[in-house]
Amino acid sequence: MMIDISKAGLEASVSPGIMDKAAPRTALATSGGAMACAACCVLPVAFPAIALAGGGALLIWIDAATNVMFVAALLSVTGAWGWVIYRARSTGKRTAKPTLLMMQAATAVLVLGLAFPAYEPFVIKLIKG
């Protein structure tokens, strides 16, 4: 006598159709886990190199733009002084003290920047000790 297990509700729990759907999902989850582990382990090692390369590129850009920025600063400060003098003469009023202080500070910073090649060796000697 044979017992038919399909009638007793004891059917096989895994059918070929379910296996075909589970394999890609498992592979996707495994590869996702591998990518997460790679991001966790590789990024801390690669990030300093990326940051240094970006910082070096920024320094090169700043060095190339220095002359253009000095010309722009010189034109800006000269134009601002011209505007302050023009407004003072056209209105006949004294220029406010905070305006004069800020213009003097801007002029001093500009002069220090333009004179940097003259005192650069002294500054480097101070930094080196």
CSV table of all heavy atoms in Angstrom, one decimal, residues 9-71:
chain,number,residue,atom,x,y,z
A,9,GLY,N,-1.2,17.0,2.5
A,9,GLY,CA,-0.8,18.4,2.8
A,9,GLY,C,0.7,18.5,3.0
A,9,GLY,O,1.2,19.5,3.5
A,10,LEU,N,1.4,17.4,2.7
A,10,LEU,CA,2.9,17.4,2.9
A,10,LEU,C,3.6,17.6,1.6
A,10,LEU,O,4.4,16.8,1.3
A,10,LEU,CB,3.3,16.1,3.6
A,10,LEU,CG,2.6,15.8,5.0
A,10,LEU,CD1,2.9,14.4,5.4
A,10,LEU,CD2,3.0,16.9,6.0
A,11,GLU,N,3.3,18.6,0.9
A,11,GLU,CA,3.9,18.8,-0.4
A,11,GLU,C,5.3,19.3,-0.2
A,11,GLU,O,5.7,19.9,0.8
A,11,GLU,CB,3.1,19.8,-1.2
A,11,GLU,CG,1.6,19.3,-1.4
A,11,GLU,CD,0.7,20.4,-1.9
A,11,GLU,OE1,1.2,21.6,-1.9
A,11,GLU,OE2,-0.4,20.1,-2.2
A,12,ALA,N,6.1,19.2,-1.3
A,12,ALA,CA,7.4,19.7,-1.2
A,12,ALA,C,7.4,21.2,-1.0
A,12,ALA,O,6.7,21.9,-1.7
A,12,ALA,CB,8.2,19.3,-2.5
A,13,SER,N,8.3,21.7,-0.1
A,13,SER,CA,8.3,23.2,0.2
A,13,SER,C,9.1,24.0,-0.9
A,13,SER,O,8.9,25.2,-1.0
A,13,SER,CB,8.9,23.4,1.5
A,13,SER,OG,10.2,23.0,1.6
A,14,VAL,N,9.9,23.3,-1.6
A,14,VAL,CA,10.7,24.1,-2.6
A,14,VAL,C,10.4,23.5,-4.0
A,14,VAL,O,10.6,22.3,-4.2
A,14,VAL,CB,12.2,23.9,-2.3
A,14,VAL,CG1,13.0,24.7,-3.4
A,14,VAL,CG2,12.5,24.5,-0.9
A,15,SER,N,9.9,24.4,-4.8
A,15,SER,CA,9.6,24.0,-6.2
A,15,SER,C,10.7,24.6,-7.1
A,15,SER,O,11.3,25.6,-6.8
A,15,SER,CB,8.2,24.4,-6.6
A,15,SER,OG,8.1,25.8,-6.7
A,16,PRO,N,10.8,24.1,-8.3
A,16,PRO,CA,11.8,24.6,-9.2
A,16,PRO,C,11.6,26.1,-9.5
A,16,PRO,O,12.5,26.9,-9.7
A,16,PRO,CB,11.7,23.8,-10.4
A,16,PRO,CG,11.1,22.5,-10.0
A,16,PRO,CD,10.3,22.8,-8.8
A,17,GLY,N,10.3,26.6,-9.6
A,17,GLY,CA,10.0,27.9,-9.9
A,17,GLY,C,10.5,28.9,-8.8
A,17,GLY,O,11.0,30.0,-9.1
A,18,ILE,N,10.5,28.5,-7.6
A,18,ILE,CA,10.9,29.3,-6.5
A,18,ILE,C,12.5,29.4,-6.5
A,18,ILE,O,13.0,30.5,-6.3
A,18,ILE,CB,10.4,28.8,-5.1
A,18,ILE,CG1,8.9,29.0,-5.0
A,18,ILE,CG2,11.1,29.5,-4.0
A,18,ILE,CD1,8.3,28.4,-3.8
A,19,MET,N,13.1,28.4,-6.8
A,19,MET,CA,14.6,28.4,-6.9
A,19,MET,C,15.1,29.3,-8.0
A,19,MET,O,16.1,30.0,-7.8
A,19,MET,CB,15.2,27.0,-7.1
A,19,MET,CG,15.1,26.0,-6.0
A,19,MET,SD,16.1,26.6,-4.6
A,19,MET,CE,17.7,26.3,-5.2
A,20,ASP,N,14.4,29.4,-9.1
A,20,ASP,CA,14.8,30.3,-10.2
A,20,ASP,C,14.7,31.7,-9.8
A,20,ASP,O,15.4,32.6,-10.2
A,20,ASP,CB,13.9,30.0,-11.4
A,20,ASP,CG,14.2,28.6,-12.0
A,20,ASP,OD1,15.3,28.1,-11.7
A,20,ASP,OD2,13.4,28.2,-12.8
A,21,LYS,N,13.7,32.1,-8.9
A,21,LYS,CA,13.6,33.5,-8.4
A,21,LYS,C,14.5,33.8,-7.3
A,21,LYS,O,14.9,34.9,-7.1
A,21,LYS,CB,12.1,33.7,-8.0
A,21,LYS,CG,11.1,33.6,-9.1
A,21,LYS,CD,9.7,33.9,-8.6
A,21,LYS,CE,8.7,33.7,-9.7
A,21,LYS,NZ,7.3,33.9,-9.2
A,22,ALA,N,14.9,32.8,-6.5
A,22,ALA,CA,15.7,33.1,-5.3
A,22,ALA,C,17.1,33.3,-5.7
A,22,ALA,O,17.8,34.1,-5.0
A,22,ALA,CB,15.5,32.0,-4.3
A,23,ALA,N,17.6,32.6,-6.7
A,23,ALA,CA,19.1,32.7,-7.0
A,23,ALA,C,19.5,34.2,-7.4
A,23,ALA,O,20.5,34.7,-6.9
A,23,ALA,CB,19.4,31.7,-8.1
A,24,PRO,N,18.8,34.9,-8.3
A,24,PRO,CA,19.2,36.2,-8.6
A,24,PRO,C,19.1,37.2,-7.4
A,24,PRO,O,19.9,38.1,-7.3
A,24,PRO,CB,18.2,36.7,-9.7
A,24,PRO,CG,17.7,35.4,-10.3
A,24,PRO,CD,17.7,34.4,-9.2
A,25,ARG,N,18.0,37.0,-6.6
A,25,ARG,CA,17.9,37.8,-5.4
A,25,ARG,C,19.0,37.6,-4.5
A,25,ARG,O,19.6,38.6,-3.9
A,25,ARG,CB,16.6,37.5,-4.8
A,25,ARG,CG,15.4,38.0,-5.6
A,25,ARG,CD,14.1,37.7,-4.9
A,25,ARG,NE,13.0,38.1,-5.8
A,25,ARG,CZ,11.7,37.7,-5.6
A,25,ARG,NH1,11.5,36.9,-4.6
A,25,ARG,NH2,10.8,38.1,-6.4
A,26,THR,N,19.4,36.4,-4.3
A,26,THR,CA,20.6,36.1,-3.4
A,26,THR,C,21.8,36.7,-4.0
A,26,THR,O,22.6,37.2,-3.2
A,26,THR,CB,20.7,34.5,-3.3
A,26,THR,OG1,19.5,34.0,-2.8
A,26,THR,CG2,21.8,34.2,-2.3
A,27,ALA,N,22.0,36.5,-5.3
A,27,ALA,CA,23.2,37.1,-5.9
A,27,ALA,C,23.3,38.6,-5.7
A,27,ALA,O,24.3,39.3,-5.4
A,27,ALA,CB,23.3,36.7,-7.3
A,28,LEU,N,22.1,39.3,-5.9
A,28,LEU,CA,22.0,40.7,-5.7
A,28,LEU,C,22.3,41.1,-4.3
A,28,LEU,O,23.0,42.1,-4.1
A,28,LEU,CB,20.6,41.2,-6.2
A,28,LEU,CG,20.4,42.7,-6.1
A,28,LEU,CD1,21.3,43.4,-7.1
A,28,LEU,CD2,18.9,43.0,-6.4
A,29,ALA,N,21.8,40.4,-3.3
A,29,ALA,CA,22.0,40.7,-1.9
A,29,ALA,C,23.5,40.5,-1.6
A,29,ALA,O,24.1,41.4,-0.9
A,29,ALA,CB,21.1,39.9,-1.0
A,30,THR,N,24.1,39.5,-2.1
A,30,THR,CA,25.5,39.2,-1.8
A,30,THR,C,26.4,40.3,-2.5
A,30,THR,O,27.3,40.8,-1.8
A,30,THR,CB,25.9,37.8,-2.4
A,30,THR,OG1,25.0,36.9,-1.8
A,30,THR,CG2,27.3,37.5,-2.1
A,31,SER,N,26.1,40.7,-3.7
A,31,SER,CA,26.9,41.7,-4.3
A,31,SER,C,26.7,43.1,-3.7
A,31,SER,O,27.6,43.9,-3.6
A,31,SER,CB,26.6,41.8,-5.8
A,31,SER,OG,25.3,42.2,-6.0
A,32,GLY,N,25.5,43.3,-3.2
A,32,GLY,CA,25.2,44.6,-2.5
A,32,GLY,C,26.0,44.6,-1.2
A,32,GLY,O,26.6,45.6,-0.8
A,33,GLY,N,26.1,43.5,-0.5
A,33,GLY,CA,26.9,43.4,0.7
A,33,GLY,C,28.4,43.6,0.4
A,33,GLY,O,29.1,44.2,1.2
A,34,ALA,N,28.8,43.0,-0.7
A,34,ALA,CA,30.2,43.2,-1.0
A,34,ALA,C,30.5,44.6,-1.4
A,34,ALA,O,31.6,45.2,-1.0
A,34,ALA,CB,30.6,42.3,-2.2
A,35,MET,N,29.6,45.3,-2.0
A,35,MET,CA,29.8,46.7,-2.3
A,35,MET,C,29.8,47.6,-1.0
A,35,MET,O,30.6,48.5,-0.9
A,35,MET,CB,28.7,47.2,-3.3
A,35,MET,CG,28.8,46.7,-4.6
A,35,MET,SD,30.3,47.1,-5.5
A,35,MET,CE,30.0,48.8,-5.8
A,36,ALA,N,29.0,47.2,-0.1
A,36,ALA,CA,29.0,48.0,1.2
A,36,ALA,C,30.3,47.8,1.9
A,36,ALA,O,30.8,48.7,2.5
A,36,ALA,CB,27.8,47.5,2.0
A,37,CYS,N,30.8,46.5,1.9
A,37,CYS,CA,32.0,46.3,2.6
A,37,CYS,C,33.2,47.0,1.9
A,37,CYS,O,34.1,47.5,2.5
A,37,CYS,CB,32.3,44.8,2.6
A,37,CYS,SG,31.2,43.9,3.8
A,38,ALA,N,33.1,47.0,0.5
A,38,ALA,CA,34.2,47.7,-0.2
A,38,ALA,C,34.2,49.2,0.1
A,38,ALA,O,35.2,49.9,0.3
A,38,ALA,CB,34.0,47.5,-1.7
A,39,ALA,N,33.0,49.8,0.2
A,39,ALA,CA,32.8,51.2,0.5
A,39,ALA,C,33.4,51.5,1.9
A,39,ALA,O,34.0,52.5,2.1
A,39,ALA,CB,31.4,51.7,0.4
A,40,CYS,N,33.1,50.6,2.8
A,40,CYS,CA,33.5,50.7,4.2
A,40,CYS,C,35.1,50.7,4.3
A,40,CYS,O,35.7,51.4,5.1
A,40,CYS,CB,32.9,49.7,5.0
A,40,CYS,SG,33.5,49.7,6.7
A,41,CYS,N,35.7,49.8,3.5
A,41,CYS,CA,37.1,49.5,3.7
A,41,CYS,C,38.0,50.3,2.7
A,41,CYS,O,39.1,50.7,3.0
A,41,CYS,CB,37.4,48.0,3.5
A,41,CYS,SG,36.5,47.1,4.8
A,42,VAL,N,37.5,50.5,1.5
A,42,VAL,CA,38.3,51.2,0.5
A,42,VAL,C,38.2,52.7,0.6
A,42,VAL,O,39.2,53.4,0.4
A,42,VAL,CB,37.8,50.7,-0.9
A,42,VAL,CG1,38.5,51.5,-2.0
A,42,VAL,CG2,38.1,49.2,-1.1
A,43,LEU,N,37.1,53.3,0.9
A,43,LEU,CA,36.9,54.7,0.9
A,43,LEU,C,37.8,55.4,1.9
A,43,LEU,O,38.5,56.4,1.6
A,43,LEU,CB,35.5,55.1,1.1
A,43,LEU,CG,34.6,55.0,-0.1
A,43,LEU,CD1,33.2,55.4,0.2
A,43,LEU,CD2,35.1,55.8,-1.3
A,44,PRO,N,38.0,54.8,3.1
A,44,PRO,CA,38.9,55.5,4.1
A,44,PRO,C,40.4,55.5,3.6
A,44,PRO,O,41.1,56.3,4.0
A,44,PRO,CB,38.8,54.7,5.4
A,44,PRO,CG,37.4,54.1,5.3
A,44,PRO,CD,37.2,53.8,3.8
A,45,VAL,N,40.7,54.5,2.8
A,45,VAL,CA,42.1,54.4,2.3
A,45,VAL,C,42.2,55.4,1.1
A,45,VAL,O,43.2,56.1,0.9
A,45,VAL,CB,42.4,53.0,1.9
A,45,VAL,CG1,43.8,52.9,1.2
A,45,VAL,CG2,42.4,52.1,3.1
A,46,ALA,N,41.2,55.4,0.2
A,46,ALA,CA,41.3,56.2,-1.0
A,46,ALA,C,41.0,57.7,-0.8
A,46,ALA,O,41.5,58.6,-1.5
A,46,ALA,CB,40.3,55.7,-2.0
A,47,PHE,N,40.2,58.1,0.3
A,47,PHE,CA,39.8,59.4,0.4
A,47,PHE,C,41.0,60.4,0.7
A,47,PHE,O,41.0,61.5,0.1
A,47,PHE,CB,38.8,59.6,1.6
A,47,PHE,CG,38.2,61.0,1.7
A,47,PHE,CD1,37.4,61.5,0.8
A,47,PHE,CD2,38.6,61.8,2.8
A,47,PHE,CE1,36.9,62.8,0.9
A,47,PHE,CE2,38.2,63.0,2.9
A,47,PHE,CZ,37.3,63.5,2.0
A,48,PRO,N,42.0,60.1,1.5
A,48,PRO,CA,43.1,61.0,1.6
A,48,PRO,C,43.8,61.3,0.3
A,48,PRO,O,44.2,62.4,0.1
A,48,PRO,CB,44.0,60.3,2.6
A,48,PRO,CG,43.1,59.4,3.4
A,48,PRO,CD,42.1,58.9,2.4
A,49,ALA,N,43.9,60.3,-0.5
A,49,ALA,CA,44.6,60.5,-1.8
A,49,ALA,C,43.7,61.4,-2.7
A,49,ALA,O,44.2,62.3,-3.4
A,49,ALA,CB,44.8,59.2,-2.5
A,50,ILE,N,42.4,61.2,-2.7
A,50,ILE,CA,41.5,62.1,-3.4
A,50,ILE,C,41.6,63.5,-2.9
A,50,ILE,O,41.6,64.5,-3.7
A,50,ILE,CB,40.1,61.5,-3.4
A,50,ILE,CG1,40.0,60.2,-4.1
A,50,ILE,CG2,39.1,62.5,-4.0
A,50,ILE,CD1,38.7,59.4,-3.9
A,51,ALA,N,41.6,63.7,-1.6
A,51,ALA,CA,41.6,65.0,-1.0
A,51,ALA,C,42.9,65.7,-1.3
A,51,ALA,O,42.9,66.9,-1.6
A,51,ALA,CB,41.4,64.9,0.5
A,52,LEU,N,44.0,65.0,-1.2
A,52,LEU,CA,45.3,65.6,-1.5
A,52,LEU,C,45.4,66.0,-3.0
A,52,LEU,O,45.9,67.1,-3.3
A,52,LEU,CB,46.5,64.7,-1.2
A,52,LEU,CG,46.8,64.5,0.3
A,52,LEU,CD1,47.8,63.4,0.5
A,52,LEU,CD2,47.2,65.8,0.9
A,53,ALA,N,44.9,65.2,-3.9
A,53,ALA,CA,44.9,65.6,-5.3
A,53,ALA,C,44.0,66.8,-5.6
A,53,ALA,O,44.4,67.7,-6.3
A,53,ALA,CB,44.4,64.4,-6.1
A,54,GLY,N,42.9,66.9,-4.9
A,54,GLY,CA,42.0,68.0,-5.1
A,54,GLY,C,42.6,69.3,-4.4
A,54,GLY,O,42.6,70.4,-5.0
A,55,GLY,N,43.3,69.1,-3.3
A,55,GLY,CA,44.0,70.2,-2.7
A,55,GLY,C,45.1,70.7,-3.5
A,55,GLY,O,45.3,72.0,-3.6
A,56,GLY,N,45.9,69.8,-4.1
A,56,GLY,CA,47.0,70.3,-5.0
A,56,GLY,C,46.4,71.0,-6.2
A,56,GLY,O,47.0,72.0,-6.6
A,57,ALA,N,45.3,70.5,-6.8
A,57,ALA,CA,44.7,71.2,-7.9
A,57,ALA,C,44.3,72.6,-7.5
A,57,ALA,O,44.4,73.6,-8.3
A,57,ALA,CB,43.6,70.4,-8.5
A,58,LEU,N,43.7,72.7,-6.3
A,58,LEU,CA,43.3,74.1,-5.9
A,58,LEU,C,44.5,75.0,-5.7
A,58,LEU,O,44.4,76.2,-6.1
A,58,LEU,CB,42.5,73.9,-4.5
A,58,LEU,CG,42.0,75.2,-3.9
A,58,LEU,CD1,40.9,75.8,-4.8
A,58,LEU,CD2,41.4,74.9,-2.5
A,59,LEU,N,45.5,74.5,-5.1
A,59,LEU,CA,46.7,75.3,-4.9
A,59,LEU,C,47.3,75.8,-6.3
A,59,LEU,O,47.8,76.9,-6.4
A,59,LEU,CB,47.8,74.6,-4.1
A,59,LEU,CG,47.5,74.5,-2.6
A,59,LEU,CD1,48.6,73.6,-2.0
A,59,LEU,CD2,47.4,75.8,-2.0
A,60,ILE,N,47.3,74.9,-7.3
A,60,ILE,CA,47.8,75.3,-8.6
A,60,ILE,C,46.9,76.3,-9.2
A,60,ILE,O,47.4,77.3,-9.8
A,60,ILE,CB,47.9,74.0,-9.5
A,60,ILE,CG1,49.0,73.1,-9.0
A,60,ILE,CG2,48.1,74.4,-11.0
A,60,ILE,CD1,49.1,71.8,-9.7
A,61,TRP,N,45.6,76.2,-9.0
A,61,TRP,CA,44.7,77.2,-9.6
A,61,TRP,C,44.9,78.5,-8.9
A,61,TRP,O,44.9,79.6,-9.5
A,61,TRP,CB,43.2,76.7,-9.4
A,61,TRP,CG,42.3,77.7,-9.9
A,61,TRP,CD1,41.9,77.9,-11.2
A,61,TRP,CD2,41.6,78.8,-9.2
A,61,TRP,NE1,41.0,78.9,-11.3
A,61,TRP,CE2,40.8,79.5,-10.1
A,61,TRP,CE3,41.6,79.1,-7.8
A,61,TRP,CZ2,40.0,80.5,-9.7
A,61,TRP,CZ3,40.8,80.2,-7.4
A,61,TRP,CH2,40.0,80.9,-8.3
A,62,ILE,N,45.1,78.5,-7.5
A,62,ILE,CA,45.3,79.8,-6.8
A,62,ILE,C,46.6,80.4,-7.2
A,62,ILE,O,46.7,81.6,-7.4
A,62,ILE,CB,45.3,79.5,-5.3
A,62,ILE,CG1,43.9,79.2,-4.8
A,62,ILE,CG2,45.9,80.7,-4.5
A,62,ILE,CD1,43.8,78.7,-3.4
A,63,ASP,N,47.6,79.6,-7.4
A,63,ASP,CA,48.9,80.2,-7.9
A,63,ASP,C,48.8,80.8,-9.3
A,63,ASP,O,49.3,81.9,-9.5
A,63,ASP,CB,50.0,79.1,-7.9
A,63,ASP,CG,51.3,79.6,-8.3
A,63,ASP,OD1,51.7,80.7,-7.7
A,63,ASP,OD2,52.0,79.0,-9.2
A,64,ALA,N,48.0,80.2,-10.2
A,64,ALA,CA,47.8,80.7,-11.5
A,64,ALA,C,47.0,82.0,-11.5
A,64,ALA,O,47.1,82.9,-12.3
A,64,ALA,CB,47.2,79.7,-12.4
A,65,ALA,N,46.0,82.1,-10.5
A,65,ALA,CA,45.1,83.2,-10.5
A,65,ALA,C,45.6,84.3,-9.6
A,65,ALA,O,45.0,85.4,-9.6
A,65,ALA,CB,43.8,82.7,-9.9
A,66,THR,N,46.8,84.2,-9.0
A,66,THR,CA,47.3,85.2,-8.1
A,66,THR,C,47.4,86.6,-8.8
A,66,THR,O,47.0,87.6,-8.3
A,66,THR,CB,48.6,84.8,-7.5
A,66,THR,OG1,48.4,83.6,-6.7
A,66,THR,CG2,49.1,85.8,-6.5
A,67,ASN,N,48.1,86.6,-9.9
A,67,ASN,CA,48.3,87.9,-10.6
A,67,ASN,C,47.0,88.5,-11.0
A,67,ASN,O,46.8,89.8,-10.9
A,67,ASN,CB,49.2,87.7,-11.8
A,67,ASN,CG,50.6,87.3,-11.4
A,67,ASN,OD1,51.1,87.6,-10.3
A,67,ASN,ND2,51.3,86.6,-12.3
A,68,VAL,N,46.1,87.7,-11.5
A,68,VAL,CA,44.8,88.3,-11.9
A,68,VAL,C,44.0,88.8,-10.7
A,68,VAL,O,43.4,89.9,-10.8
A,68,VAL,CB,44.0,87.2,-12.6
A,68,VAL,CG1,42.6,87.7,-13.0
A,68,VAL,CG2,44.7,86.7,-13.9
A,69,MET,N,44.1,88.1,-9.6
A,69,MET,CA,43.4,88.6,-8.4
A,69,MET,C,44.1,89.9,-7.8
A,69,MET,O,43.3,90.7,-7.3
A,69,MET,CB,43.5,87.5,-7.3
A,69,MET,CG,42.6,86.3,-7.7
A,69,MET,SD,40.9,86.7,-7.9
A,69,MET,CE,40.3,85.3,-8.7
A,70,PHE,N,45.4,90.0,-7.9
A,70,PHE,CA,46.0,91.2,-7.5
A,70,PHE,C,45.6,92.4,-8.3
A,70,PHE,O,45.3,93.5,-7.8
A,70,PHE,CB,47.5,91.1,-7.5
A,70,PHE,CG,48.1,90.5,-6.3
A,70,PHE,CD1,49.2,89.6,-6.4
A,70,PHE,CD2,47.6,90.8,-5.0
A,70,PHE,CE1,49.7,89.1,-5.2
A,70,PHE,CE2,48.1,90.2,-3.9
A,70,PHE,CZ,49.2,89.3,-4.0
A,71,VAL,N,45.5,92.2,-9.6
A,71,VAL,CA,45.0,93.3,-10.5
A,71,VAL,C,43.5,93.6,-10.2
A,71,VAL,O,43.1,94.8,-10.1
A,71,VAL,CB,45.1,92.9,-12.0
A,71,VAL,CG1,44.4,93.9,-12.9
A,71,VAL,CG2,46.6,92.8,-12.4
